Amino acid sequence: MNNKKELLHYLTNKMIDAGYITHKIKDSIFLRESIASTAIGNKVAIPHPINIEVSKSCICTAILNNEMDWDKDEKVVIVFIIVLENKWAPYFQEIFSELYSLTSSYDSIADLQTKNNFDDFIKDITAKLG
């Protein structure tokens, strides 16, 4: 992928193909991104839809080999797309905060970038979250 739009299309299409989201949710993710950037600093972005009911919760994760321009002054190497069903929506801020603290240091980002498979990535995140 060459830019944020291509990456978001790719990831959300994978989520649609896997049955996690609908095209309506994909559109909502793009709408949310157009309103304000979901880049949170330290080369991380956390896109999410705007108040859409979903039947499955998921977090889609992308670890990029190279930095990607997310916004004018923001580069990204890790993307977490958060989609929560209604019963988990009240926990969005808590999940966001945990991801933010997990990725708040350069060393943590550099370490996560070295993970070559899902199992290693999840083990590392689980260990960091305690």
Side-chain angles (χ1 to χ4, degrees):
M1 272 62 30
N2 295 312
N3 58 54
K4 167 176 65 173
K5 187 175 180 179
E6 287 180 10
L7 178 63
L8 285 176
H9 274 294
Y10 175 80
L11 294 174
T12 54
N13 285 340
K14 290 286 189 184
M15 294 169 77
I16 289 169
D17 292 345
Y20 285 103
I21 68 170
T22 63
H23 288 279
K24 183 177 179 181
I25 296 167
K26 175 181 177 171
D27 292 344
S28 182
I29 290 168
F30 274 87
L31 175 61
R32 170 60 184 84
E33 192 65 42
S34 72
I35 292 170
S37 174
T38 57
I40 63 168
N42 206 30
K43 301 180 184 180
V44 176
I46 305 179
H48 52 279
I50 299 173
N51 301 324
I52 294 281
E53 284 192 32
V54 299
S55 58
K56 292 182 183 179
S57 295
C58 66
I59 299 177
C60 176
T61 305
I63 302 172
L64 308 177
N65 291 326
N66 300 303
E67 292 181 347
M68 174 181 286
D69 289 331
W70 197 259
D71 295 307
K72 181 181 174 188
D73 297 323
E74 195 80 49
K75 295 191 181 299
V76 164
V77 294
I78 297 179
V79 177
F80 297 101
I81 300 177
I82 300 176
V83 178
L84 299 176
E85 57 194 284
N86 280 348
K87 70 179 181 181
W88 297 111
Y91 301 100
F92 175 83
Q93 192 59 46
E94 184 178 336
I95 293 167
F96 181 92
S97 294
E98 288 293 330
L99 287 174
Y100 181 80
S101 66
L102 179 73
T103 60
S104 62
S105 76
Y106 174 80
D107 290 341
S108 180
I109 295 298
D111 186 45
L112 288 174
Q113 278 186 276
T114 67
K115 304 308 173 214
N116 294 319
N117 62 62
F118 181 75
D119 290 335
D120 289 346
F121 183 78
I122 292 299
K123 283 179 191 173
D124 192 57
I125 286 179
T126 304
K128 285 180 167 81
L129 293 175

